[in-house]
Amino acid sequence: LGTAVTGVIQSSSATTIMVVGLLNAGIMKLSHAVPVIMGANIGTTVTGQILRLGDISGESMLLSILKPSSFGPMLIGAGAGMYVFVKKKKTKDIGTIFLGLGMIFFGMSTMEATLSPLKDMPWFTDFIIHFKNPILGIIFGCVMTAVLQSSSASVGILQALASTGAISFSTAAPIILGHNVGKCVTVILASIGSKKPAKRAVFIDVLSNILGMIVFFIIIYGLNSVFDFSFWNSKMTRGNIADFHTLFNICTTVMLLPFIDLLIKASKKFVKDKDGSYDERELDILDELLLKTPNLAVEQCRKLINAMAELSLENFKKASGLVINFDAHIFNKLNDDENLMDRFETGMGNYLVKLTSIDIGENNNKAVTEMLYSIGDFERISDHAVNIAEVALYNYENEITLSSEAMKEYGIIQKAVEEILEMAV
């Protein structure tokens, strides 16, 4: 899925940002999102593979049409026609896609024609030679992609430079490795202010690309030092650059795919949960736009009521524990969680009422009605937990303790109520 979507929209950053949005909304799980992001890294190589068609030589009409310099303007013309002359929104959207794709390929062809005279300039050749130093090459590729916000565009520029005959394998390899790290800057910026699952997905994306770069760097330069590759200083074509870019991303994905669970564990250690798993941002999953898709809106409500249920159980456990061993920090946290429960009840109640005002079907109506009753019940359970905590505070402040017999009875009641609550949750 990640490969296909990125191949169409020509941007792995855009695909990853969409996944970040879906994680924020609670629609995707992290374990589902990571393979999509890995696939996006493969999909971003499609642009380079299309641009390699510029290497095609021949005078026939078919071969001429296959070149980006030819089909770029054709896509722009088709897209402009669909956008201007057709009223249907879906057709206009397709026209916009054609326009965008056409501009990418026409722009790359124009840039290639502009860069072509550089091959005769000594200063340009001297400048390119500096990037045979692998560290400088990686830094240049990383900065270049971070500025352009697109690895597809960066590779396209490198392919355009290759048409001058100044790019060798030793120059291109480190720059391409840098491209794959630099593209992460866009998704890092997009994840600012997002929820923990989204931040973890971005962390995994960055870690995957860095690990892939390190492994490829060690393998390529290690093997070259032993076997002294004959092609090391040979000039690269657009096709060579596209193939290396594709090989790097496929190999990195194949290498890391079996270790998704380990990557997720590493991300959870890097982006840790704070004391208490829930905050007011949980309400963000109740997006007004989802009201247009009732099934999805109801599912989001179900996720939030599950969070309310679990939080009410946590609050009871905290409160019942305070009776045995009072802790002021836990008491304050319990009160904060109760205030959060109040906001959950209000926010979800308003959202469920909006759902009942539209046609959502009989089954969804039953589910929404049940949830409207249940949110009040879970909030009330949390209120009772606070009442228990207040008794614990009173006992603590007045140095009141329970006898061993009373403590035994309390333990039996506490376990029974906890079991009932776990069943309800």
Side-chain angles (χ1 to χ4, degrees):
L1 178 65
T3 302
V5 171
T6 307
V8 171
I9 66 175
Q10 301 283 300
S11 173
S12 61
S13 298
T15 305
T16 306
I17 289 167
M18 280 194 280
V19 171
V20 167
L22 294 170
L23 282 165
N24 262 341
I27 294 169
M28 284 187 89
K29 292 182 178 179
L30 188 58
S31 57
H32 301 155
V34 174
V36 176
I37 292 170
M38 288 182 172
N41 290 332
I42 297 174
T44 195
T45 65
V46 170
T47 308
Q49 292 294 347
I50 295 173
L51 290 173
R52 75 180 299 166
L53 296 173
D55 286 334
I56 293 174
S57 58
E59 300 298 325
S60 73
M61 177 72 74
L62 179 61
L63 291 176
S64 297
I65 290 173
L66 286 175
K67 292 185 177 182
S69 57
S70 300
F71 68 71
M74 291 167 64
L75 284 172
I76 292 172
M82 294 167 76
Y83 186 80
V84 174
F85 299 112
V86 181
K87 293 182 179 180
K88 213 173 174 183
K89 187 179 182 302
K90 190 174 181 181
T91 307
K92 279 182 177 289
D93 290 340
I94 295 170
T96 307
I97 292 170
F98 282 180
L99 265 171
L101 290 174
M103 286 176 184
I104 288 172
F105 298 122
F106 180 72
M108 290 295 178
S109 301
T110 305
M111 183 168 54
E112 183 183 309
T114 307
L115 293 172
S116 186
L118 291 176
K119 63 186 175 184
D120 301 320
M121 298 181 183
W123 67 266
F124 176 70
T125 308
D126 293 339
F127 175 71
I128 291 295
I129 286 171
H130 284 99
F131 300 119
K132 287 190 176 182
N133 179 317
I135 304 301
L136 285 177
I138 288 170
I139 292 171
F140 177 72
C142 187
V143 172
M144 181 184 181
T145 308
V147 171
L148 292 174
Q149 302 276 295
S150 171
S151 64
S152 298
S154 302
V155 172
I157 290 172
L158 191 62
Q159 287 177 296
L161 289 171
S163 67
T164 66
I167 304 295
S168 64
F169 186 90
S170 59
T171 306
I175 293 174
I176 293 171
L177 294 180
H179 286 333
N180 286 276
V181 177
K183 70 183 177 185
C184 298
V185 171
T186 310
V187 292
I188 290 170
L189 293 173
S191 70
I192 294 172
S194 62
K195 293 184 181 179
K196 286 181 175 60
K199 287 179 178 175
R200 286 169 182 157
V202 172
F203 171 80
I204 290 169
D205 184 38
V206 174
L207 182 62
S208 298
N209 283 290
I210 290 174
L211 287 173
M213 180 196 72
I214 292 170
V215 170
F216 251 68
F217 182 87
I218 292 169
I219 291 173
I220 291 169
Y221 285 89
L223 289 175
N224 182 54
S225 64
V226 175
F227 299 107
D228 191 20
F229 295 142
S230 58
F231 57 82
W232 192 244
N233 291 307
S234 301
K235 290 177 173 52
M236 291 190 86
T237 64
R238 282 170 285 209
N240 297 146
I241 290 171
D243 289 341
F244 182 77
H245 188 218
T246 302
L247 181 68
F248 169 81
N249 283 285
I250 290 175
C251 289
T252 301
T253 301
V254 170
M255 176 180 73
L256 294 174
L257 205 56
F259 303 105
I260 286 177
D261 289 340
L262 285 175
L263 289 169
I264 291 173
K265 285 179 183 176
S267 72
K268 286 180 179 177
K269 287 186 178 179
F270 184 80
V271 184
K272 294 180 180 178
D273 286 317
K274 292 180 181 177
D275 183 21
S277 306
Y278 303 102
D279 60 39
E280 199 160 3
R281 284 182 297 175
E282 296 286 329
L283 285 167
D284 292 346
I285 70 172
L286 303 181
D287 195 320
E288 296 282 329
L289 293 173
L290 295 179
L291 293 172
K292 295 177 183 177
T293 50
N295 287 337
L296 194 52
V298 171
E299 186 57 33
Q300 296 299 84
C301 289
R302 204 185 307 279
K303 287 176 182 175
L304 189 56
I305 199 168
N306 285 342
M308 286 185 70
E310 288 167 4
L311 187 54
S312 67
L313 175 59
E314 284 179 24
N315 286 350
F316 171 74
K317 287 179 179 178
K318 286 190 185 98
S320 58
L322 290 173
V323 174
I324 300 167
N325 183 24
F326 188 82
D327 184 314
H329 173 71
I330 295 174
F331 180 82
N332 292 331
K333 182 69 177 70
L334 174 59
N335 279 286
D336 289 341
D337 286 347
E338 163 51 24
N339 291 331
L340 180 60
M341 283 289 282
D342 291 338
R343 293 193 289 275
F344 276 2
E345 183 191 22
T346 303
M348 192 170 171
N350 292 336
Y351 194 80
L352 288 169
V353 169
K354 288 177 185 175
L355 264 176
T356 58
S357 66
I358 58 178
D359 183 19
I360 58 175
E362 187 180 348
N363 288 336
N364 282 334
N365 251 321
K366 286 179 180 177
V368 167
T369 303
E370 186 180 85
M371 282 189 267
L372 273 168
Y373 282 111
S374 299
I375 56 174
D377 292 336
F378 285 123
E379 196 281 325
R380 191 77 188 105
I381 290 166
S382 192
D383 286 340
H384 286 309
V386 172
N387 297 151
I388 295 168
E390 286 169 349
V391 171
L393 174 64
Y394 179 84
N395 288 352
Y396 176 74
E397 290 177 339
N398 292 281
E399 298 182 353
I400 298 172
T401 56
L402 299 177
S403 66
S404 58
E405 190 65 28
M407 191 65 80
K408 185 179 177 182
E409 289 183 6
Y410 173 78
I412 294 168
I413 296 169
Q414 188 268 337
K415 284 180 182 177
V417 174
E418 188 174 315
E419 185 179 345
I420 293 166
L421 279 178
E422 284 175 346
M423 288 169 67
V425 170

